[in-house]
């Protein structure tokens, strides 16, 4: 496997938070891979070749030999088993590992209103001027509650050593931090620590072009 490069299909604009999560997982595992860019603006992800590859028509999709896998949390779990000798993406403790996966699932299935009102492109291109709706503020409070419960006082990471769940939580929190929305100080500091990881910096260093019109 080490002699065969993996391929990571991502949106050509390199904006997707989920693509970022998969990229960070690959970088933390120190695995070689090639990018394949998918033009989401012309709905290339719905066209036959990519649809057949990804099944879900979403980015990212990881390709390893003749196996293709979409959904960033599934990609992280696959990489963990594919390359167990490299840096761990998940806690080694059974219950902590289950909690990390619970958090990943929740971040992807809830908080849609936060993702809608604070799209991830603002992390790259600057904040939005609109205030959060009441619904979004309530969702943000749920996010803060979960993060506060899971992140012990004074802890650098959620479960002792870093895990991919730290990146995923920081991604969601940074939608608010980067926009200047009110975020508890220790959670904002946690985001800054996570954003200082080499794997995250590598993603942020990718060159992007700001959209001409931002909604």
């Amino acid at each position: 496997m080490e002699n065969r490069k993996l391929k990571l299909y991502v949106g050509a604009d390199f904006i997707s938070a989920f693509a970022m999560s998969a990229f960070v997982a690959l970088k933390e595992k120190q695995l070689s891979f090639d990018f394949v860019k998918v033009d989401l603006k012309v709905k290339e992800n719905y066209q036959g070749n990519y649809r057949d590859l990804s099944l879900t028509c979403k980015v990212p999709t990881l390709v390893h030999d003749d196996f293709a896998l979409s959904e960033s949390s599934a990609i992280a779990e696959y990489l963990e088993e594919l390359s167990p000798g490299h840096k761990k993406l998940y806690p080694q403790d059974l219950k902590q590992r289950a909690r990390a996966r619970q958090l990943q699932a929740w971040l992807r299935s809830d908080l849609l209103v936060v993702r809608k009102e604070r799209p991830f492109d603002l992390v790259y291109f600057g904040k939005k001027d609109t205030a959060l709706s009441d619904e979004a503020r309530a969702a943000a409070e749920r996010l803060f509650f979960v993060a506060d419960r899971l992140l012990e006082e004074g802890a650098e990471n959620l479960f002792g050593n870093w895990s991919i769940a730290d990146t995923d939580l920081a991604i969601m929190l940074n939608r608010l931090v980067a926009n200047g929305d009110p975020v508890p100080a220790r959670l904002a500091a946690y985001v800054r620590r996570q954003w200082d990881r080499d794997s995250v910096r590598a993603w942020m260093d990718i060159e992007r072009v700001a959209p001409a019109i931002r909604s």
Side-chain angles (χ1 to χ4, degrees), residues 82-102:
L82 180 69
S83 184
H86 285 148
K87 186 177 183 65
K88 301 298 182 185
L89 298 178
Y90 288 93
Q92 294 304 287
D93 176 78
L94 173 65
K95 293 178 180 177
Q96 288 186 337
R97 189 163 63 250
R99 187 71 76 198
R101 288 169 171 162
Q102 177 194 8

Side-chain angles (χ1 to χ4, degrees), residues 70 76 136 166 177 185:
S70 61
D166 284 296
V177 172

Side-chain angles (χ1 to χ4, degrees), residues 94-114:
L94 173 65
K95 293 178 180 177
Q96 288 186 337
R97 189 163 63 250
R99 187 71 76 198
R101 288 169 171 162
Q102 177 194 8
L103 178 61
Q104 285 186 297
W106 179 71
L107 290 169
R108 287 161 172 76
S109 63
D110 200 350
L111 309 173
L112 177 60
V113 66
V114 174

Side-chain angles (χ1 to χ4, degrees), residues 121 210-215:
D121 66 353
I213 299 175
R214 294 182 62 212
S215 58

Side-chain angles (χ1 to χ4, degrees), residues 121-135:
D121 66 353
L122 65 81
V123 172
Y124 312 111
F125 305 127
K127 68 180 185 177
K128 297 172 72 70
D129 293 327
T130 55
L132 289 171
S133 66
D134 290 345
E135 183 184 4

